[in-house]
Amino acid sequence: MYRSHNCGELRATDSNTEVTLSGWVQGVRDKGFMIYIDLRDRYGITQLYFDEERTPKDIIEKAQNLGREFVIQVKGQVIERASKNPNIPTGDIEVLVSELTVLNKALVPPFTIEDKTDGGDDIRMKYRYLDIRRNPVKESLIFRHKVTQAVRNYLSNQDFIEVETPYLIKSTPEGARDFVVPSRMNEGQFYALPQSPQTFKQLLMVGGMDKYFQIVKCFRDEDLRADRQPEFTQIDCEMAFVEQEDILNIFEGLTRHLLKEINGVEVEKFPRMLYDDAMRLYGNDKPDIRFGMEFGELNEVAQHKDFGVFNNAELVVGIAVPGGNSYTRKEIDKLIDWVKRPQVGALGMVYSRCNEDGTFKSSVDKFYDQDDLAKWAEVTGAKSGDLVCVLSGDKNKVRAQLSALRMELAERLGLRDPKVFAPLWVIDFPLLELDEETGHYHAMHHPFTSPKPGQIELLDSKPGKVKANAYDLVLNGNEIGGGSIRIHDKATQAIMLKHLGFSDEEAKAQFGFLMDAFEYGAPPHGGLAFGLDRLVAILGGQETIRDFIAFPKNNSGRDVMIDAPAPIDDEQLAELSLKLNLKS
């Protein structure tokens, strides 16, 4: 056998034991009359000891020729270390080597395989198999495994059944472009890779499975924003004979279980917030509630003077920055430059200092007196020593801009502690969202989301006012899960598709299989899908998902390690009846 123990296993109680170890050479320290080698595998590091008085000469010579990342096997005796290393679990012992076999030589790695490496992102992604040997990446992948096991255990104990659904499906409109796969056996026709298993899990409910889950790959061919991947993993769940409250209770339970099992944290409160309130108070539908800085709408106390910037704005809104009065003028100017960046898009920022003596000093003192500024402080909740930051403009745009500023300030102030977890349900989303360019409505979630009871009649008269029976689970300012109660009868689904612009023929062509299934006794049902990559990253105290994915794509959707996507040859194109029409 290649090993009797792994490299993280041996302790002082194993002294005088004959062992066989295999692994990678982490480092070699040649002292002339003795050699020390750190041998590494997934489990840890064991120090190997070569002594010219006790180790055969040919073994010494072999050891002297070892390079970093050589794969070796050794046999020897566990002995107590003269100089112990308290920083590693095996630090009390070492192995006096009697036999050494080189299993495979290695080139010099393009970056150092240490916790703190000298390799940049690009080179580490190109040699991802080497990057995985580093502890931070290795531990992230092990951490992901622990999370998925905890998920499976919880859901299985709640009587959920894990069912696989197909990857080669029919293209359906779900908000993003599909990845399409040509079918050789069906000339001129294409499969699509699923953006989610949405229709299949609904069909499983029609099939009587009652409680389903799947940890599943999903695919979206969309322009990548920061920390997005074209393929991602969902914890996909569906339940029959449920209302919204049933689903919220089950998945609050799952989230509590994960926080306790993985992080040792007990969370009792899962506040619920209306979508409209989330937008009004935080400017987005996934607010981070670990800290305050809620929005204060200032129209009534800021649009009565001759300041045209505010008077001509749809919304004037501000936040109180705790302790912000300590900022110098230069620091505030940098903050103004930050909100004027293209990524944020504000035209400027007005501010008011809340002095310790109860007076105020603003950037618009020409237009507003002390009484006015006191009202700004009251509306935003500002106290002495704080700074009130105010933006104005189109309601939707300015809320998004102030939301970005709020998160940036919280980061600078250290208010986003990754060890603190603040979950939140956001409920009562709009059913439809207006596309300002086309003037048409589209589903905010997906076409199978049920409207709130009693509101379907509003689709004809006030479509923008209809609320969805939908909910998102937010954790620390990130949407980690979302779902809805589904439409489960053909007539309601037909009405919904009609309002989304589908003709009867188009609806039948796209979703006929689902609507037909509804005629064979579909139960009321609903579900939720967690974004596993994001969930794991947050539980792991990180904002980026890439290190929790074994082989991620870069920001252009490329796998630089295997160089994909890549062209295919003319013979393959011919087999698929495809011709390329590439733009020059």
Side-chain angles (χ1 to χ4, degrees):
M1 57 187 173
Y2 281 108
R3 56 189 178 185
S4 61
H5 298 76
N6 64 55
C7 292
E9 188 175 355
L10 297 171
R11 300 292 186 268
T13 53
D14 297 300
S15 292
N16 300 317
T17 303
E18 293 293 325
V19 298
T20 303
L21 301 180
S22 293
W24 288 264
V25 173
Q26 176 76 18
V28 179
R29 299 182 298 282
D30 190 343
K31 305 294 185 182
F33 58 93
M34 62 180 65
I35 300 171
Y36 296 100
I37 291 176
D38 290 333
L39 186 67
R40 183 194 73 241
D41 65 9
R42 177 189 127 190
Y43 306 95
I45 289 178
T46 296
Q47 180 169 284
L48 308 180
Y49 176 48
F50 301 76
D51 184 338
E52 65 176 12
E53 293 184 357
R54 291 184 283 177
T55 306
K57 185 178 179 181
D58 62 319
I59 302 300
I60 293 278
E61 290 176 353
K62 274 188 180 180
Q64 289 172 329
N65 289 312
L66 293 177
R68 292 174 70 95
E69 302 307 314
F70 274 42
V71 185
I72 64 172
Q73 180 193 51
V74 297
K75 295 182 180 180
Q77 184 182 53
V78 180
I79 60 175
E80 186 177 353
R81 283 175 67 160
S83 178
K84 294 180 172 56
N85 181 356
N87 297 318
I88 59 174
T90 60
D92 288 345
I93 61 91
E94 58 194 4
V95 174
L96 177 61
V97 177
S98 57
E99 294 183 33
L100 168 63
T101 303
V102 176
L103 300 175
N104 215 331
K105 295 182 179 181
L107 298 174
V108 176
F111 54 88
T112 56
I113 300 176
E114 302 278 0
D115 289 5
K116 293 184 178 180
T117 183
D118 55 1
D121 286 349
D122 291 342
I123 193 72
R124 288 190 293 110
M125 286 191 74
K126 182 174 177 60
Y127 297 94
R128 182 64 168 179
Y129 46 87
L130 297 180
D131 201 28
I132 290 172
R133 295 180 190 174
R134 295 194 311 114
N135 282 327
V137 181
K138 177 192 74 177
E139 295 299 333
S140 293
L141 296 181
I142 294 172
F143 184 82
R144 181 185 177 112
H145 162 74
K146 291 178 180 177
V147 173
T148 56
Q149 289 302 100
V151 168
R152 282 193 163 95
N153 290 339
Y154 175 87
L155 292 175
S156 297
N157 288 334
Q158 295 291 329
D159 293 329
F160 281 78
I161 304 299
E162 187 167 7
V163 183
E164 291 187 53
T165 54
Y167 280 159
L168 296 176
I169 67 167
K170 182 179 184 178
S171 182
T172 57
E174 288 195 37
R177 293 183 186 89
D178 290 323
F179 282 101
V180 295
V181 181
S183 171
R184 179 183 58 80
M185 293 181 291
N186 300 275
E187 188 174 329
Q189 297 185 332
F190 296 81
Y191 299 105
L193 300 180
Q195 295 181 35
S196 78
Q198 181 61 49
T199 54
F200 286 101
K201 65 181 177 181
Q202 291 189 250
L203 291 171
L204 286 170
M205 296 303 102
V206 178
M209 290 306 294
D210 193 67
K211 290 182 177 180
Y212 139 94
F213 85 98
Q214 182 180 191
I215 298 178
V216 60
K217 279 287 186 200
C218 302
F219 308 85
R220 289 180 183 170
D221 185 11
E222 57 187 350
D223 295 336
L224 296 181
R225 288 178 280 167
D227 209 31
R228 287 282 184 93
Q229 291 282 307
E231 53 181 322
F232 55 96
T233 306
Q234 285 185 350
I235 308 166
D236 196 53
C237 308
E238 198 80 1
M239 304 165 67
F241 301 110
V242 289
E243 297 177 336
Q244 177 176 293
E245 194 66 24
D246 300 305
I247 293 174
L248 268 53
N249 286 335
I250 281 285
F251 294 107
E252 278 184 23
L254 173 57
T255 309
R256 281 196 185 93
H257 175 74
L258 292 175
L259 288 169
K260 182 70 189 301
E261 188 81 6
I262 304 299
N263 297 85
V265 173
E266 300 223 18
V267 176
E268 290 301 322
K269 293 183 179 179
F270 279 68
R272 299 181 187 185
M273 184 180 296
L274 299 177
Y275 168 87
D276 290 344
D277 289 340
M279 298 304 294
R280 178 176 57 84
L281 294 172
Y282 299 98
N284 68 67
D285 58 6
K286 50 180 186 297
D288 190 337
I289 59 171
R290 284 175 292 181
F291 57 95
M293 295 169 63
E294 292 181 355
F295 291 8
E297 297 190 351
L298 299 170
N299 289 41
E300 290 186 10
V301 296
Q303 290 185 323
H304 62 294
K305 295 296 179 72
D306 294 328
F307 188 49
V309 173
F310 285 176
N311 292 343
N312 297 325
E314 183 181 7
L315 178 65
V316 183
V317 62
I319 54 173
V321 184
N325 192 31
S326 64
Y327 289 1
T328 65
R329 176 60 188 270
K330 186 176 181 180
E331 287 174 321
I332 293 176
D333 286 344
K334 285 184 178 180
L335 209 55
I336 294 171
D337 290 339
W338 190 90
V339 300
K340 291 167 72 173
R341 297 180 315 147
Q343 299 95 317
V344 180
L347 297 177
M349 184 185 84
V350 169
Y351 65 89
S352 174
R353 294 180 179 274
C354 303
N355 298 320
E356 297 292 347
D357 62 3
T359 62
F360 303 92
K361 177 66 179 173
S362 81
S363 57
V364 286
D365 279 347
K366 178 180 177 181
F367 300 97
Y368 296 96
D369 59 28
Q370 292 291 299
D371 288 341
D372 294 322
L373 299 177
K375 291 175 183 176
W376 291 17
E378 181 182 353
V379 172
T380 59
K383 300 178 177 61
S384 295
D386 291 350
L387 179 75
V388 177
C389 297
V390 183
L391 301 180
S392 62
D394 175 79
K395 180 175 69 176
N396 293 334
K397 288 181 180 178
V398 77
R399 281 176 171 169
Q401 291 160 359
L402 192 60
S403 175
L405 176 60
R406 175 180 179 268
M407 296 295 278
E408 175 66 17
L409 287 166
E411 195 70 45
R412 295 184 185 188
L413 293 168
L415 301 176
R416 303 189 68 207
D417 185 347
K419 294 180 181 177
V420 174
F421 297 96
L424 167 75
W425 286 108
V426 178
I427 60 175
D428 289 9
F429 284 78
L431 181 68
L432 303 175
E433 198 170 25
L434 182 65
D435 186 325
E436 294 181 359
E437 291 186 8
T438 65
H440 296 139
Y441 283 98
H442 59 85
M444 183 170 248
H445 283 77
H446 53 65
F448 318 108
T449 300
S450 174
K452 281 283 186 182
Q455 293 201 5
I456 194 166
E457 294 80 7
L458 291 174
L459 279 173
D460 287 323
S461 57
K462 299 177 180 177
K465 298 292 184 183
V466 181
K467 297 297 183 185
N469 213 345
Y471 32 82
D472 278 358
L473 182 55
V474 177
L475 185 61
N476 294 0
N478 293 274
E479 178 198 332
I480 60 167
S484 67
I485 299 298
R486 321 301 187 191
I487 296 169
H488 69 277
D489 67 277
K490 184 175 182 177
T492 304
Q493 187 64 72
I495 292 171
M496 181 67 174
L497 292 173
K498 177 183 176 183
H499 282 279
L500 292 174
F502 289 86
S503 66
D504 291 343
E505 293 75 17
E506 288 170 335
K508 183 172 179 58
Q510 289 278 4
F511 305 112
F513 65 94
L514 182 64
M515 296 171 74
D516 288 347
F518 287 168
E519 294 193 290
Y520 288 93
H525 60 280
L528 179 142
F530 284 87
L532 178 64
D533 310 303
R534 177 77 53 210
L535 174 63
V536 171
I538 295 170
L539 294 177
Q542 302 294 325
E543 286 288 323
T544 64
I545 65 174
R546 199 166 69 185
D547 277 351
F548 295 90
I549 299 171
F551 299 103
K553 308 287 191 294
N554 69 9
N555 289 340
S556 300
R558 293 197 66 82
D559 186 326
V560 296
M561 182 182 68
I562 65 172
D563 195 23
I568 61 174
D569 60 35
D570 291 341
E571 185 177 343
Q572 284 179 288
L573 288 171
E575 280 186 335
L576 296 168
S577 303
L578 294 176
K579 287 185 178 180
L580 299 181
N581 182 19
L582 300 176
K583 296 177 182 178
S584 58

